Amino acid sequence: MGALTVSDKIAYASSLSASGLSHDAVAIMSEAHQSQPANADVTVALARLLSASGKIDQAMALCKASMHQTNAQAAQQLSHLYQSLTTQKQRALEKPGEASAPASTEG
């Protein structure tokens, strides 16, 4: 496969995730994030994919760590995502019988 742009990688990872291949999607975006940690689009996409794959704690940690290292627009997106994940995690803890609760703590 030829060199993909950041937009291509995000689109490809999103397609994989939508097809149920979240592990592969997260792997692609993790690799992109390692090579371009300051790229706000990659960071936001990775955080969303981590969240969608049930890795809430990892998504929250990424959001929190990256909020002050990105531009204002990305920082705002990461802040909103962090707040949403916090709410989602709190709800899961209030209802321990739901399937999403155990998945939120896996790493």
Side-chain angles (χ1 to χ4, degrees), residues 2 4 6 8 11 16 21 28-29 37 39 43 67-68 73 76 88-89 97-98 102:
L4 297 176
V6 168
D8 291 338
L16 288 172
L21 300 171
I28 288 169
M29 291 314 305
N39 186 308
T43 303
M67 273 188 247
H68 305 291
Q73 183 179 0
Q76 185 176 18
Q88 181 180 345
K89 186 173 180 179
E98 291 186 2

Side-chain angles (χ1 to χ4, degrees), residues 11-90:
Y12 181 54
S14 295
S15 294
L16 288 172
S17 180
S19 298
L21 300 171
S22 60
H23 178 75
D24 295 331
V26 168
I28 288 169
M29 291 314 305
S30 292
E31 182 179 309
H33 187 260
Q34 286 177 356
S35 65
Q36 300 180 44
N39 186 308
D41 293 333
V42 171
T43 303
V44 171
L46 176 56
R48 288 185 175 147
L49 288 168
L50 286 167
S51 170
S53 67
K55 297 179 179 179
I56 305 297
D57 291 337
Q58 286 182 350
M60 289 175 66
L62 177 62
C63 289
K64 192 171 184 178
S66 301
M67 273 188 247
H68 305 291
Q69 300 172 4
T70 60
N71 62 49
Q73 183 179 0
Q76 185 176 18
Q77 287 179 323
L78 289 166
S79 177
H80 289 300
L81 181 55
Y82 182 84
Q83 291 170 3
S84 174
L85 293 170
T86 300
T87 301
Q88 181 180 345
K89 186 173 180 179
Q90 287 173 344

